[in-house]
Amino acid sequence: MKEILISLYICLFSFSLTQAKTFYADGSKLEKKVALTFDDGPGKATEKILEILQEKNVKATFFMLGVSVASNPALAKTILNKGHEIANHTYRHINFYAYESENKFLKMEQEILKAEDIIKNTLGVKTFLVRFPYGYAREDAIATAKKLGYYVINWSFGTDWKDMPASQMYLKYKNAITSGAIFLIHDLFKNGKVISFLGDFIDDIKNKGYEIVTISELLDIKGPNVK
Ligand SMILES: [Zn+2]
């Protein structure tokens, strides 16, 4: 019985260790650092977002879709040239919660690798951070990402896809400022809601004494997940 309990403990311990190293939804609670992440682009809102980030001297992480990079290569290059971090949001935004097929593992792998190829060919950057569409982060997604040397990055707060007045949305983002926060915003949306308060939101973060960093800096990740 004792041996069984010990092996169970070791099993659970290594499982949680593996998960912790591959999947993140926030950073350390001990450091006053947060990260801004932008999904689905490059898109309609990207240029304005880049202007605001430059004005505020902030570096963010852009989780790009393969299809978006393929249709906006110049904009993707601008994001890179302005010093932001480039990350993978898969090729064409498949909802894996609803994807029921025997080839699900293969499909997830292909979606990551297709986006990786397009990003590499367009920007010369090899991605190692992935965010699955809709934050899909079940065991199969994490195993697939790990196999390909990726970390799966979700978020601690995001609400820009919901229908609410900009003032209410701003307040929600502002109230979510905390150590290790990963904020999700979309740069594909046409609506100007986030754009209308992004500058103020960045000021709020700084005024509260937090530093805004990229995901790899927030999580202290230096390269592909090969451990
Ligand atoms: Zn998305």
Side-chain angles (χ1 to χ4, degrees), residues 122-183:
T122 310
L123 305 177
V125 170
K126 157 78 178 76
T127 51
F128 57 86
L129 304 172
V130 66
R131 176 176 289 157
F132 284 91
Y134 311 99
Y136 183 84
R138 289 185 185 157
E139 219 173 304
D140 52 1
I142 292 170
T144 305
K146 191 171 168 58
K147 180 185 163 199
L148 301 177
Y150 276 76
Y151 297 89
V152 177
I153 312 297
N154 270 6
W155 58 92
S156 57
F157 187 80
T159 193
D160 68 331
W161 60 94
K162 292 180 190 152
D163 188 23
M164 69 182 84
S167 56
Q168 193 185 340
M169 194 183 279
Y170 171 37
L171 208 62
K172 282 179 184 278
Y173 274 94
K174 200 173 161 175
N175 288 339
I177 299 170
T178 181
S179 289
I182 297 176
F183 290 102

Short mmCIF file of all heavy atoms in Angstrom, two decimals, residues 122-183:
data_model
loop_
_atom_site.label_atom_id
_atom_site.label_comp_id
_atom_site.label_asym_id
_atom_site.label_seq_id
_atom_site.Cartn_x
_atom_site.Cartn_y
_atom_site.Cartn_z
N THR A 122 8.07 34.26 -43.56
CA THR A 122 7.78 35.69 -43.70
C THR A 122 8.71 36.53 -42.83
O THR A 122 9.17 37.59 -43.25
CB THR A 122 6.31 35.97 -43.27
OG1 THR A 122 5.46 35.06 -43.95
CG2 THR A 122 5.90 37.39 -43.62
N LEU A 123 8.97 36.05 -41.61
CA LEU A 123 9.69 36.88 -40.64
C LEU A 123 11.07 36.33 -40.25
O LEU A 123 11.84 37.01 -39.57
CB LEU A 123 8.85 37.03 -39.36
CG LEU A 123 7.43 37.58 -39.53
CD1 LEU A 123 6.71 37.59 -38.19
CD2 LEU A 123 7.48 38.99 -40.12
N GLY A 124 11.35 35.10 -40.63
CA GLY A 124 12.62 34.50 -40.22
C GLY A 124 12.66 34.17 -38.74
O GLY A 124 13.74 34.06 -38.15
N VAL A 125 11.50 34.02 -38.11
CA VAL A 125 11.44 33.73 -36.68
C VAL A 125 10.85 32.34 -36.47
O VAL A 125 9.83 32.00 -37.05
CB VAL A 125 10.52 34.77 -35.96
CG1 VAL A 125 10.24 34.36 -34.52
CG2 VAL A 125 11.14 36.16 -36.02
N LYS A 126 11.52 31.54 -35.64
CA LYS A 126 10.98 30.21 -35.29
C LYS A 126 10.18 30.36 -33.99
O LYS A 126 10.74 30.70 -32.95
CB LYS A 126 12.15 29.23 -35.13
CG LYS A 126 11.89 28.00 -34.29
CD LYS A 126 11.11 26.94 -35.06
CE LYS A 126 10.92 25.69 -34.19
NZ LYS A 126 9.88 25.86 -33.15
N THR A 127 8.86 30.15 -34.07
CA THR A 127 8.02 30.33 -32.88
C THR A 127 8.14 29.14 -31.92
O THR A 127 8.38 28.00 -32.36
CB THR A 127 6.54 30.50 -33.28
OG1 THR A 127 6.17 29.43 -34.15
CG2 THR A 127 6.32 31.82 -33.97
N PHE A 128 7.97 29.40 -30.64
CA PHE A 128 7.95 28.31 -29.66
C PHE A 128 6.89 28.55 -28.57
O PHE A 128 6.81 27.80 -27.60
CB PHE A 128 9.33 28.07 -29.06
CG PHE A 128 9.93 29.28 -28.39
CD1 PHE A 128 9.65 29.56 -27.06
CD2 PHE A 128 10.78 30.12 -29.09
CE1 PHE A 128 10.20 30.66 -26.43
CE2 PHE A 128 11.33 31.24 -28.48
CZ PHE A 128 11.04 31.52 -27.15
N LEU A 129 6.10 29.59 -28.75
CA LEU A 129 4.97 29.85 -27.85
C LEU A 129 3.71 29.68 -28.68
O LEU A 129 3.60 30.27 -29.75
CB LEU A 129 5.02 31.30 -27.32
CG LEU A 129 6.29 31.75 -26.61
CD1 LEU A 129 6.24 33.26 -26.34
CD2 LEU A 129 6.48 30.98 -25.30
N VAL A 130 2.78 28.86 -28.20
CA VAL A 130 1.53 28.68 -28.96
C VAL A 130 0.33 28.95 -28.05
O VAL A 130 0.36 28.63 -26.86
CB VAL A 130 1.43 27.27 -29.59
CG1 VAL A 130 1.32 26.16 -28.54
CG2 VAL A 130 0.24 27.17 -30.56
N ARG A 131 -0.67 29.56 -28.63
CA ARG A 131 -1.97 29.68 -27.96
C ARG A 131 -2.99 29.08 -28.92
O ARG A 131 -3.15 29.56 -30.05
CB ARG A 131 -2.29 31.15 -27.67
CG ARG A 131 -3.68 31.34 -27.06
CD ARG A 131 -3.92 32.79 -26.68
NE ARG A 131 -3.14 33.19 -25.52
CZ ARG A 131 -2.82 34.46 -25.26
NH1 ARG A 131 -3.18 35.42 -26.09
NH2 ARG A 131 -2.13 34.75 -24.19
N PHE A 132 -3.63 28.01 -28.49
CA PHE A 132 -4.66 27.41 -29.33
C PHE A 132 -5.88 28.33 -29.34
O PHE A 132 -6.17 29.01 -28.35
CB PHE A 132 -5.07 26.03 -28.78
CG PHE A 132 -4.06 24.95 -29.06
CD1 PHE A 132 -3.04 24.67 -28.16
CD2 PHE A 132 -4.14 24.21 -30.24
CE1 PHE A 132 -2.12 23.68 -28.43
CE2 PHE A 132 -3.21 23.22 -30.51
CZ PHE A 132 -2.19 22.96 -29.61
N PRO A 133 -6.62 28.34 -30.47
CA PRO A 133 -7.84 29.14 -30.53
C PRO A 133 -8.79 28.79 -29.38
O PRO A 133 -8.89 27.63 -28.99
CB PRO A 133 -8.43 28.74 -31.88
CG PRO A 133 -7.24 28.35 -32.70
CD PRO A 133 -6.31 27.70 -31.74
N TYR A 134 -9.45 29.79 -28.86
CA TYR A 134 -10.40 29.68 -27.73
C TYR A 134 -9.73 29.14 -26.46
O TYR A 134 -10.39 28.62 -25.58
CB TYR A 134 -11.61 28.79 -28.12
CG TYR A 134 -12.20 29.18 -29.44
CD1 TYR A 134 -11.89 28.48 -30.61
CD2 TYR A 134 -13.03 30.30 -29.54
CE1 TYR A 134 -12.39 28.88 -31.84
CE2 TYR A 134 -13.54 30.70 -30.77
CZ TYR A 134 -13.21 29.99 -31.91
OH TYR A 134 -13.72 30.38 -33.13
N GLY A 135 -8.42 29.24 -26.42
CA GLY A 135 -7.72 28.79 -25.21
C GLY A 135 -7.79 27.30 -24.99
O GLY A 135 -7.64 26.82 -23.86
N TYR A 136 -7.99 26.53 -26.06
CA TYR A 136 -8.06 25.08 -25.92
C TYR A 136 -6.74 24.58 -25.32
O TYR A 136 -5.68 24.79 -25.88
CB TYR A 136 -8.29 24.44 -27.30
CG TYR A 136 -8.45 22.94 -27.22
CD1 TYR A 136 -9.69 22.37 -26.92
CD2 TYR A 136 -7.37 22.08 -27.43
CE1 TYR A 136 -9.84 20.99 -26.83
CE2 TYR A 136 -7.52 20.71 -27.34
CZ TYR A 136 -8.75 20.17 -27.04
OH TYR A 136 -8.90 18.80 -26.94
N ALA A 137 -6.83 23.96 -24.14
CA ALA A 137 -5.58 23.55 -23.47
C ALA A 137 -5.78 22.22 -22.76
O ALA A 137 -5.28 22.01 -21.66
CB ALA A 137 -5.13 24.63 -22.51
N ARG A 138 -6.56 21.33 -23.40
CA ARG A 138 -6.71 20.00 -22.81
C ARG A 138 -5.41 19.24 -22.98
O ARG A 138 -4.51 19.66 -23.71
CB ARG A 138 -7.88 19.27 -23.47
CG ARG A 138 -9.22 19.89 -23.05
CD ARG A 138 -10.40 19.11 -23.61
NE ARG A 138 -11.64 19.80 -23.29
CZ ARG A 138 -12.77 19.66 -23.96
NH1 ARG A 138 -12.82 18.83 -24.99
NH2 ARG A 138 -13.85 20.31 -23.61
N GLU A 139 -5.35 18.09 -22.32
CA GLU A 139 -4.12 17.29 -22.29
C GLU A 139 -3.56 16.99 -23.69
O GLU A 139 -2.35 17.01 -23.90
CB GLU A 139 -4.44 15.97 -21.59
CG GLU A 139 -3.32 15.51 -20.68
CD GLU A 139 -3.75 14.30 -19.88
OE1 GLU A 139 -4.77 14.38 -19.16
OE2 GLU A 139 -3.08 13.28 -20.00
N ASP A 140 -4.48 16.73 -24.66
CA ASP A 140 -4.00 16.40 -26.01
C ASP A 140 -3.30 17.59 -26.67
O ASP A 140 -2.30 17.42 -27.37
CB ASP A 140 -5.15 15.87 -26.90
CG ASP A 140 -6.38 16.76 -26.93
OD1 ASP A 140 -6.37 17.82 -26.27
OD2 ASP A 140 -7.35 16.40 -27.63
N ALA A 141 -3.79 18.79 -26.39
CA ALA A 141 -3.17 19.99 -26.96
C ALA A 141 -1.80 20.22 -26.33
O ALA A 141 -0.82 20.53 -27.03
CB ALA A 141 -4.06 21.20 -26.70
N ILE A 142 -1.73 20.04 -25.02
CA ILE A 142 -0.46 20.28 -24.33
C ILE A 142 0.58 19.24 -24.75
O ILE A 142 1.74 19.58 -25.00
CB ILE A 142 -0.69 20.31 -22.80
CG1 ILE A 142 -1.52 21.57 -22.47
CG2 ILE A 142 0.62 20.31 -22.02
CD1 ILE A 142 -2.03 21.64 -21.07
N ALA A 143 0.14 17.99 -24.90
CA ALA A 143 1.07 16.94 -25.34
C ALA A 143 1.58 17.22 -26.76
O ALA A 143 2.77 17.06 -27.04
CB ALA A 143 0.37 15.58 -25.29
N THR A 144 0.68 17.68 -27.63
CA THR A 144 1.08 17.99 -29.01
C THR A 144 2.08 19.13 -29.04
O THR A 144 3.10 19.07 -29.72
CB THR A 144 -0.17 18.37 -29.85
OG1 THR A 144 -1.12 17.32 -29.74
CG2 THR A 144 0.18 18.60 -31.30
N ALA A 145 1.76 20.17 -28.28
CA ALA A 145 2.65 21.33 -28.24
C ALA A 145 4.03 20.94 -27.71
O ALA A 145 5.06 21.30 -28.28
CB ALA A 145 2.03 22.41 -27.36
N LYS A 146 4.04 20.17 -26.65
CA LYS A 146 5.31 19.76 -26.03
C LYS A 146 6.14 18.93 -27.01
O LYS A 146 7.35 19.13 -27.12
CB LYS A 146 5.02 18.97 -24.75
CG LYS A 146 6.27 18.73 -23.91
CD LYS A 146 5.91 18.14 -22.58
CE LYS A 146 7.13 17.62 -21.85
NZ LYS A 146 8.16 18.63 -21.61
N LYS A 147 5.46 18.05 -27.72
CA LYS A 147 6.15 17.21 -28.71
C LYS A 147 6.88 18.08 -29.74
O LYS A 147 7.96 17.75 -30.22
CB LYS A 147 5.12 16.31 -29.41
CG LYS A 147 5.69 15.39 -30.45
CD LYS A 147 4.57 14.64 -31.16
CE LYS A 147 5.11 14.04 -32.45
NZ LYS A 147 4.02 13.69 -33.37
N LEU A 148 6.27 19.21 -30.08
CA LEU A 148 6.85 20.10 -31.09
C LEU A 148 7.78 21.16 -30.48
O LEU A 148 8.24 22.05 -31.17
CB LEU A 148 5.72 20.80 -31.87
CG LEU A 148 4.75 19.88 -32.61
CD1 LEU A 148 3.66 20.69 -33.28
CD2 LEU A 148 5.48 19.02 -33.64
N GLY A 149 8.01 21.06 -29.18
CA GLY A 149 8.94 21.99 -28.52
C GLY A 149 8.28 23.32 -28.13
O GLY A 149 8.97 24.32 -27.93
N TYR A 150 6.96 23.32 -28.03
CA TYR A 150 6.23 24.56 -27.73
C TYR A 150 5.78 24.63 -26.27
O TYR A 150 5.58 23.61 -25.61
CB TYR A 150 4.97 24.65 -28.60
CG TYR A 150 5.24 25.23 -29.97
CD1 TYR A 150 5.85 24.46 -30.95
CD2 TYR A 150 4.89 26.54 -30.26
CE1 TYR A 150 6.10 24.98 -32.21
CE2 TYR A 150 5.14 27.06 -31.51
CZ TYR A 150 5.75 26.29 -32.48
OH TYR A 150 5.99 26.83 -33.72
N TYR A 151 5.58 25.85 -25.80
CA TYR A 151 4.88 26.12 -24.56
C TYR A 151 3.48 26.60 -24.93
O TYR A 151 3.32 27.36 -25.88
CB TYR A 151 5.58 27.24 -23.77
CG TYR A 151 6.97 26.90 -23.32
CD1 TYR A 151 8.06 27.17 -24.15
CD2 TYR A 151 7.20 26.29 -22.09
CE1 TYR A 151 9.35 26.85 -23.75
CE2 TYR A 151 8.48 25.98 -21.69
CZ TYR A 151 9.55 26.25 -22.52
OH TYR A 151 10.82 25.94 -22.12
N VAL A 152 2.48 26.16 -24.16
CA VAL A 152 1.11 26.61 -24.40
C VAL A 152 0.84 27.78 -23.45
O VAL A 152 1.00 27.66 -22.23
CB VAL A 152 0.09 25.48 -24.14
CG1 VAL A 152 -1.34 25.99 -24.33
CG2 VAL A 152 0.38 24.29 -25.06
N ILE A 153 0.44 28.90 -24.04
CA ILE A 153 0.25 30.12 -23.25
C ILE A 153 -1.21 30.57 -23.32
O ILE A 153 -1.68 30.97 -24.39
CB ILE A 153 1.15 31.27 -23.78
CG1 ILE A 153 2.59 30.82 -23.99
CG2 ILE A 153 1.05 32.49 -22.84
CD1 ILE A 153 3.35 30.39 -22.76
N ASN A 154 -1.91 30.49 -22.22
CA ASN A 154 -3.26 31.07 -22.19
C ASN A 154 -3.21 32.45 -21.54
O ASN A 154 -2.18 33.11 -21.58
CB ASN A 154 -4.22 30.11 -21.50
CG ASN A 154 -4.86 29.17 -22.52
OD1 ASN A 154 -4.49 29.19 -23.70
ND2 ASN A 154 -5.80 28.36 -22.10
N TRP A 155 -4.26 32.88 -20.92
CA TRP A 155 -4.29 34.23 -20.39
C TRP A 155 -4.98 34.23 -19.03
O TRP A 155 -5.74 33.31 -18.70
CB TRP A 155 -5.01 35.17 -21.34
CG TRP A 155 -6.43 34.75 -21.64
CD1 TRP A 155 -7.56 35.14 -20.99
CD2 TRP A 155 -6.86 33.83 -22.66
NE1 TRP A 155 -8.66 34.54 -21.54
CE2 TRP A 155 -8.27 33.72 -22.56
CE3 TRP A 155 -6.19 33.09 -23.64
CZ2 TRP A 155 -9.02 32.90 -23.40
CZ3 TRP A 155 -6.94 32.26 -24.48
CH2 TRP A 155 -8.34 32.19 -24.37
N SER A 156 -4.70 35.28 -18.25
CA SER A 156 -5.38 35.39 -16.95
C SER A 156 -6.61 36.29 -17.06
O SER A 156 -7.54 36.17 -16.29
CB SER A 156 -4.43 35.92 -15.88
OG SER A 156 -3.90 37.17 -16.26
N PHE A 157 -6.60 37.20 -18.06
CA PHE A 157 -7.78 38.04 -18.23
C PHE A 157 -7.92 38.53 -19.68
O PHE A 157 -6.96 38.95 -20.31
CB PHE A 157 -7.76 39.27 -17.30
CG PHE A 157 -9.06 40.01 -17.38
CD1 PHE A 157 -10.17 39.56 -16.69
CD2 PHE A 157 -9.20 41.11 -18.22
CE1 PHE A 157 -11.41 40.19 -16.83
CE2 PHE A 157 -10.42 41.75 -18.35
CZ PHE A 157 -11.52 41.29 -17.64
N GLY A 158 -9.17 38.52 -20.15
CA GLY A 158 -9.48 39.06 -21.47
C GLY A 158 -10.99 39.13 -21.62
O GLY A 158 -11.69 38.23 -21.13
N THR A 159 -11.51 40.18 -22.22
CA THR A 159 -12.96 40.29 -22.37
C THR A 159 -13.37 41.15 -23.57
O THR A 159 -14.52 41.56 -23.68
CB THR A 159 -13.59 40.81 -21.04
OG1 THR A 159 -15.00 40.63 -21.08
CG2 THR A 159 -13.28 42.28 -20.81
N ASP A 160 -12.42 41.38 -24.50
CA ASP A 160 -12.72 42.34 -25.57
C ASP A 160 -13.65 41.79 -26.66
O ASP A 160 -14.09 42.53 -27.53
CB ASP A 160 -11.42 42.88 -26.21
CG ASP A 160 -10.65 41.83 -26.97
OD1 ASP A 160 -10.74 40.63 -26.63
OD2 ASP A 160 -9.94 42.21 -27.92
N TRP A 161 -13.96 40.49 -26.62
CA TRP A 161 -14.87 39.93 -27.60
C TRP A 161 -16.33 39.96 -27.12
O TRP A 161 -17.23 39.60 -27.85
CB TRP A 161 -14.48 38.49 -27.95
CG TRP A 161 -14.50 37.55 -26.78
CD1 TRP A 161 -15.55 36.74 -26.41
CD2 TRP A 161 -13.46 37.31 -25.84
NE1 TRP A 161 -15.21 36.02 -25.29
CE2 TRP A 161 -13.93 36.33 -24.92
CE3 TRP A 161 -12.15 37.81 -25.68
CZ2 TRP A 161 -13.16 35.87 -23.86
CZ3 TRP A 161 -11.39 37.35 -24.61
CH2 TRP A 161 -11.89 36.39 -23.72
N LYS A 162 -16.52 40.40 -25.89
CA LYS A 162 -17.88 40.42 -25.34
C LYS A 162 -18.55 41.77 -25.60
O LYS A 162 -17.88 42.78 -25.74
CB LYS A 162 -17.85 40.11 -23.85
CG LYS A 162 -17.43 38.66 -23.60
CD LYS A 162 -17.40 38.32 -22.14
CE LYS A 162 -16.76 36.95 -21.94
NZ LYS A 162 -16.11 36.82 -20.64
N ASP A 163 -19.88 41.72 -25.67
CA ASP A 163 -20.64 42.92 -25.99
C ASP A 163 -20.88 43.76 -24.73
O ASP A 163 -21.67 43.38 -23.88
CB ASP A 163 -21.97 42.50 -26.62
CG ASP A 163 -22.72 43.70 -27.14
OD1 ASP A 163 -22.07 44.74 -27.42
OD2 ASP A 163 -23.96 43.62 -27.26
N MET A 164 -20.17 44.87 -24.63
CA MET A 164 -20.36 45.78 -23.49
C MET A 164 -19.79 47.14 -23.87
O MET A 164 -18.96 47.24 -24.78
CB MET A 164 -19.65 45.23 -22.24
CG MET A 164 -18.15 45.24 -22.31
SD MET A 164 -17.37 44.52 -20.84
CE MET A 164 -17.42 42.77 -21.26
N PRO A 165 -20.22 48.19 -23.19
CA PRO A 165 -19.67 49.51 -23.51
C PRO A 165 -18.16 49.56 -23.22
O PRO A 165 -17.69 48.86 -22.32
CB PRO A 165 -20.41 50.45 -22.54
CG PRO A 165 -21.57 49.67 -22.03
CD PRO A 165 -21.20 48.23 -22.11
N ALA A 166 -17.45 50.38 -23.99
CA ALA A 166 -15.99 50.48 -23.83
C ALA A 166 -15.60 50.84 -22.40
O ALA A 166 -14.61 50.33 -21.87
CB ALA A 166 -15.44 51.50 -24.82
N SER A 167 -16.40 51.71 -21.76
CA SER A 167 -16.06 52.16 -20.40
C SER A 167 -16.09 50.98 -19.41
O SER A 167 -15.23 50.87 -18.54
CB SER A 167 -17.04 53.23 -19.94
OG SER A 167 -18.36 52.75 -20.04
N GLN A 168 -17.06 50.10 -19.61
CA GLN A 168 -17.17 48.92 -18.74
C GLN A 168 -16.03 47.94 -19.00
O GLN A 168 -15.45 47.37 -18.07
CB GLN A 168 -18.52 48.25 -19.02
CG GLN A 168 -18.92 47.21 -17.99
CD GLN A 168 -20.20 46.50 -18.42
OE1 GLN A 168 -20.97 46.99 -19.25
NE2 GLN A 168 -20.43 45.33 -17.86
N MET A 169 -15.70 47.79 -20.27
CA MET A 169 -14.60 46.90 -20.67
C MET A 169 -13.28 47.39 -20.08
O MET A 169 -12.49 46.61 -19.53
CB MET A 169 -14.53 46.87 -22.20
CG MET A 169 -13.69 45.76 -22.77
SD MET A 169 -13.63 45.87 -24.57
CE MET A 169 -15.17 45.11 -25.02
N TYR A 170 -13.05 48.69 -20.18
CA TYR A 170 -11.85 49.31 -19.64
C TYR A 170 -11.71 49.03 -18.14
O TYR A 170 -10.65 48.61 -17.66
CB TYR A 170 -11.90 50.81 -19.92
CG TYR A 170 -10.84 51.66 -19.26
CD1 TYR A 170 -9.54 51.20 -19.10
CD2 TYR A 170 -11.13 52.95 -18.82
CE1 TYR A 170 -8.56 51.99 -18.50
CE2 TYR A 170 -10.17 53.74 -18.22
CZ TYR A 170 -8.89 53.25 -18.06
OH TYR A 170 -7.93 54.04 -17.46
N LEU A 171 -12.83 49.21 -17.43
CA LEU A 171 -12.83 48.98 -15.98
C LEU A 171 -12.48 47.53 -15.65
O LEU A 171 -11.73 47.26 -14.70
CB LEU A 171 -14.22 49.32 -15.43
CG LEU A 171 -14.25 49.79 -13.98
CD1 LEU A 171 -13.45 51.07 -13.81
CD2 LEU A 171 -15.71 50.01 -13.54
N LYS A 172 -13.00 46.62 -16.44
CA LYS A 172 -12.73 45.20 -16.20
C LYS A 172 -11.24 44.89 -16.39
O LYS A 172 -10.64 44.17 -15.60
CB LYS A 172 -13.58 44.32 -17.12
CG LYS A 172 -15.04 44.19 -16.65
CD LYS A 172 -15.84 43.33 -17.60
CE LYS A 172 -17.30 43.27 -17.22
NZ LYS A 172 -17.56 42.28 -16.17
N TYR A 173 -10.66 45.42 -17.46
CA TYR A 173 -9.22 45.21 -17.69
C TYR A 173 -8.42 45.83 -16.54
O TYR A 173 -7.50 45.23 -16.00
CB TYR A 173 -8.78 45.80 -19.03
CG TYR A 173 -8.97 44.84 -20.19
CD1 TYR A 173 -10.13 44.86 -20.96
CD2 TYR A 173 -7.99 43.90 -20.51
CE1 TYR A 173 -10.31 43.96 -22.01
CE2 TYR A 173 -8.16 43.00 -21.56
CZ TYR A 173 -9.32 43.04 -22.31
OH TYR A 173 -9.49 42.14 -23.35
N LYS A 174 -8.82 47.04 -16.16
CA LYS A 174 -8.10 47.77 -15.11
C LYS A 174 -8.15 47.01 -13.78
O LYS A 174 -7.15 46.92 -13.07
CB LYS A 174 -8.79 49.14 -14.96
CG LYS A 174 -7.96 50.19 -14.30
CD LYS A 174 -8.70 51.52 -14.37
CE LYS A 174 -8.16 52.48 -13.37
NZ LYS A 174 -8.75 53.80 -13.47
N ASN A 175 -9.31 46.44 -13.47
CA ASN A 175 -9.46 45.70 -12.21
C ASN A 175 -8.68 44.39 -12.20
O ASN A 175 -8.52 43.78 -11.14
CB ASN A 175 -10.94 45.40 -11.94
CG ASN A 175 -11.68 46.66 -11.55
OD1 ASN A 175 -11.09 47.64 -11.11
ND2 ASN A 175 -13.00 46.66 -11.74
N ALA A 176 -8.25 43.95 -13.37
CA ALA A 176 -7.54 42.66 -13.45
C ALA A 176 -6.02 42.82 -13.37
O ALA A 176 -5.28 41.85 -13.49
CB ALA A 176 -7.93 41.93 -14.73
N ILE A 177 -5.56 44.06 -13.15
CA ILE A 177 -4.11 44.28 -13.06
C ILE A 177 -3.59 43.67 -11.76
O ILE A 177 -4.01 44.05 -10.67
CB ILE A 177 -3.78 45.80 -13.10
CG1 ILE A 177 -4.25 46.43 -14.40
CG2 ILE A 177 -2.27 46.01 -12.91
CD1 ILE A 177 -4.18 47.96 -14.42
N THR A 178 -2.70 42.69 -11.92
CA THR A 178 -2.12 42.02 -10.76
C THR A 178 -0.78 41.39 -11.18
O THR A 178 -0.54 41.22 -12.37
CB THR A 178 -3.09 40.95 -10.21
OG1 THR A 178 -2.51 40.33 -9.08
CG2 THR A 178 -3.41 39.88 -11.24
N SER A 179 0.05 41.05 -10.23
CA SER A 179 1.37 40.47 -10.57
C SER A 179 1.20 39.19 -11.39
O SER A 179 0.42 38.32 -11.02
CB SER A 179 2.14 40.14 -9.29
OG SER A 179 2.55 41.33 -8.67
N GLY A 180 1.93 39.12 -12.49
CA GLY A 180 1.92 37.92 -13.33
C GLY A 180 0.77 37.87 -14.32
O GLY A 180 0.62 36.88 -15.05
N ALA A 181 -0.05 38.92 -14.40
CA ALA A 181 -1.21 38.89 -15.30
C ALA A 181 -0.80 38.79 -16.77
O ALA A 181 0.17 39.42 -17.20
CB ALA A 181 -2.08 40.13 -15.09
N ILE A 182 -1.54 37.96 -17.51
CA ILE A 182 -1.39 37.91 -18.96
C ILE A 182 -2.72 38.40 -19.55
O ILE A 182 -3.76 37.76 -19.36
CB ILE A 182 -1.09 36.48 -19.46
CG1 ILE A 182 0.25 35.99 -18.89
CG2 ILE A 182 -1.08 36.43 -20.99
CD1 ILE A 182 0.59 34.53 -19.25
N PHE A 183 -2.67 39.55 -20.21
CA PHE A 183 -3.90 40.13 -20.76
C PHE A 183 -4.09 39.71 -22.22
O PHE A 183 -3.15 39.78 -23.01
CB PHE A 183 -3.85 41.65 -20.68
CG PHE A 183 -3.96 42.15 -19.26
CD1 PHE A 183 -2.83 42.59 -18.58
CD2 PHE A 183 -5.18 42.15 -18.61
CE1 PHE A 183 -2.93 43.03 -17.27
CE2 PHE A 183 -5.29 42.59 -17.29
CZ PHE A 183 -4.16 43.03 -16.63
#
